[in-house]
Amino acid sequence: MVTIRDVKAICTAPDGIALVVVKVETSEPGLYGLGCATYTQRWITVADAVEHYMKPLLVGKDVSRIEDIWQMAMASPYWRNGPILNNALSGVDMALWDIKGKMAKMPVYELLGGKVREAAVVYRHAGGFSTQDPRYGKMTPEEMLDEQIEHFLEMGTQYIRIQKGRYGGVQDLEAVKPEGACPGEYYDPHQYMRETVESIAHVREKYGNRFEILHDVHERLEPIDAVRLAKDLEPYRLFYLEDCLAPEQVDWFKTIRNQSATPLAMGELFNNPMEWMGLIKERLIDYIRVHISQIGGLTPAKKLQVLCEAFGVRTAWHGPGDVSPIGHAVNVHLDLSSWNFGVQEWQGFGQGCLDVFPGCPELKNGYVYLSDRPGIGVDIDEKAAAAFPCDPTLPRWTNARRPDGTFARP
Ligand code: GCO
Ligand code: MG
């Protein structure tokens, strides 16, 4: 029996974004697994949970018992389904799938039922520039947006997320902030709504049906405004509208569903199965978008994908810069082996990640491909990783505020 000998967190920021990877070493010399536990805003606490709780819980356990370990480790803290411990568990869970693939001499997608497609079609981000962008002010937002669209079209991209500026739009609200307002990332929800419809109308007018259009509201609107935006965007036939409600307001999806045919994607902020169960059962969304390490790893994500298939919901796993290449590869193992795959969000890797994580999935002509190495297929160069320490500074962008200074869900 091969057992778990050590469990450790490796925190590294090769592209300037804090990533957390869990390495599970085994009693078999040279056999280890890697998993993604990336929660970039609270990476220190996740790493701490891995060291102080996952390690003592799991050392000595049989590596083959993935389901049993997942169930035991999920309920061991009694309180469960929170972001910190879900990420710590995800790192272990993915690492155990990596080990099982290496022992079976198969890529993980083979363990999940084999390929239903050779590669996963991706969606890219256009227009998400910030007022800090050196080109801002020299180029109009439309010119910056078009430049990014042209770049992605040259790369064969078929799905492009259109944002006019950051989440909440191109905002430079120094002028409207109340006297002595507290610091924050100010934006005007109604200005953002108007700009978004104008931007997408411009894109559809200029590019026709050359690519599928997506947009990410990022929970930046009050529910009734989300209803209005979904209706206002209906004529432009989006592939989907992402995160148009905050998780606390998902009951409003019923209203949106009844008033608009704009396809809806939700889930990157979910941690708890009770957040998605109703949306799927009632067929209130079209795409599920969880951040796989935030729900506890590949084991629960596979179960979620199968649940969604029964209700006609497709997958569009969260794939931002704050997922490690191991996490991105796990997304793609699921993408390749799931019949109800929709689209894969793809941020792409900087040279730092490519150097630290040998075997990164490869983007070719709008599709992402996995190596056929056994397991997850991505390794880590720990020495190179150590050269990119994570920054403990708290993120500014999550301090979002409306013109009157009210804090807004970011
Ligand atoms: C996306 C997400 C990200 C998140 C980020 C939070 O659609 O990729 O909205 O941009 O904001 O992952 O850390
Ligand atoms: Mg999003």
Side-chain angles (χ1 to χ4, degrees):
M1 178 176 78
V2 177
T3 58
I4 293 173
R5 186 173 58 77
D6 190 17
V7 180
K8 68 176 185 179
I10 302 167
C11 300
T12 181
D15 289 347
I17 299 173
L19 306 176
V20 183
V21 169
V22 171
K23 182 173 186 179
V24 172
E25 296 182 345
T26 74
S27 53
E28 192 86 1
L31 177 62
Y32 62 87
L34 298 170
C36 184
T38 299
Y39 175 11
T40 203
Q41 289 82 354
R42 293 297 182 268
W43 60 273
I44 297 172
T45 319
V46 173
D48 188 70
V50 171
E51 303 288 340
H52 290 100
Y53 294 106
M54 285 299 164
K55 179 172 177 177
L57 186 66
L58 299 175
V59 166
K61 292 282 186 304
D62 174 353
V63 295
S64 70
R65 296 184 177 235
I66 300 178
E67 182 69 26
D68 183 62
I69 285 174
W70 192 90
Q71 295 294 348
M72 180 270 292
M74 169 55 87
S76 152
Y78 187 54
W79 278 272
R80 48 190 177 268
N81 292 314
I84 300 293
L85 298 179
N86 277 6
N87 274 281
L89 176 49
S90 165
V92 170
D93 179 71
M94 291 185 189
L96 294 176
W97 279 100
D98 193 22
I99 290 166
K100 197 177 275 292
K102 288 174 178 176
M103 292 174 76
K105 297 186 176 34
M106 288 182 184
V108 164
Y109 62 74
E110 294 292 8
L111 307 178
L112 299 175
K115 284 182 176 177
V116 296
R117 58 188 61 79
E118 283 316 305
V121 71
V122 301
Y123 98 60
R124 305 303 305 271
H125 301 169
F129 47 81
S130 76
T131 47
Q132 278 77 41
D133 187 305
R135 299 169 303 171
Y136 184 68
K138 300 186 187 70
M139 296 167 74
T140 66
E142 285 72 20
E143 285 165 343
M144 292 175 77
L145 186 56
D146 288 351
E147 185 187 75
Q148 289 176 338
I149 291 171
E150 297 297 342
H151 167 67
F152 287 134
L153 290 175
E154 275 155 36
M155 293 172 72
T157 309
Q158 303 167 51
Y159 296 73
I160 302 179
R161 189 178 84 180
I162 301 299
Q163 308 287 134
K164 184 175 179 184
R166 296 151 70 112
Y167 299 126
V170 181
Q171 304 296 330
D172 196 357
L173 289 174
E174 286 313 313
V176 298
K177 267 184 345 189
E179 198 60 30
C182 60
E185 303 270 310
Y186 281 77
Y187 76 102
D188 175 345
H190 289 163
Q191 176 187 340
Y192 152 62
M193 284 171 74
R194 288 191 299 274
E195 287 175 351
T196 295
V197 176
E198 283 160 15
S199 262
I200 288 171
H202 154 77
V203 167
R204 193 53 100 196
E205 168 72 22
K206 178 166 184 178
Y207 294 97
N209 296 311
R210 283 182 61 190
F211 57 90
E212 295 284 356
I213 296 177
L214 301 83
H215 178 72
D216 188 353
V217 178
H218 212 270
E219 65 173 339
R220 288 294 182 101
L221 294 176
E222 291 300 326
I224 192 61
D225 285 334
V227 178
R228 289 161 70 185
L229 183 64
K231 293 174 73 165
D232 292 346
L233 289 174
E234 207 171 330
Y236 306 106
R237 300 181 64 76
L238 266 59
F239 178 75
Y240 71 49
L241 185 62
E242 178 177 322
D243 284 23
C244 65
L245 292 168
E248 298 81 3
Q249 299 299 340
V250 292
D251 283 357
W252 278 82
F253 274 115
K254 288 189 192 78
T255 308
I256 297 176
R257 217 32 162 192
N258 291 334
Q259 298 200 25
S260 159
T262 296
L264 302 167
M266 184 70 184
E268 70 182 56
L269 273 162
F270 289 169
N271 294 107
N272 185 324
M274 302 324 293
E275 295 180 285
W276 62 71
M277 291 296 262
L279 295 180
I280 293 166
K281 236 173 6 146
E282 310 300 321
R283 298 170 172 86
L284 295 177
I285 58 172
D286 303 281
Y287 299 89
I288 189 72
R289 276 191 46 72
V290 298
H291 182 109
I292 286 180
S293 68
Q294 287 285 355
I295 67 165
L298 173 54
T299 296
K302 177 63 190 171
K303 295 173 183 176
L304 174 54
Q305 171 258 318
V306 172
L307 172 73
C308 286
E309 179 183 318
F311 290 90
V313 176
R314 286 178 281 173
T315 65
W317 307 118
H318 191 217
D322 45 308
V323 168
S324 70
I326 292 151
H328 281 292
V330 168
N331 282 346
V332 182
H333 278 284
L334 272 169
D335 295 343
L336 300 191
S337 58
S338 305
W339 179 67
N340 57 321
F341 163 71
V343 70
Q344 178 56 57
E345 178 179 12
W346 198 253
Q347 179 82 18
F349 303 119
Q351 193 53 48
C353 267
L354 296 171
D355 295 343
V356 170
F357 294 96
C360 281
E362 220 181 316
L363 179 67
K364 283 183 275 188
N365 199 26
Y367 289 86
V368 67
Y369 294 78
L370 288 175
S371 72
D372 273 341
R373 291 191 185 83
I376 294 173
V378 180
D379 203 348
I380 188 166
D381 177 336
E382 292 187 57
K383 196 159 164 293
F388 298 100
C390 296
D391 177 353
T393 314
L394 291 172
R396 266 177 43 110
W397 70 270
T398 51
N399 180 13
R401 293 187 181 271
R402 293 204 282 268
D404 70 352
T406 305
F407 179 79
R409 296 271 150 92

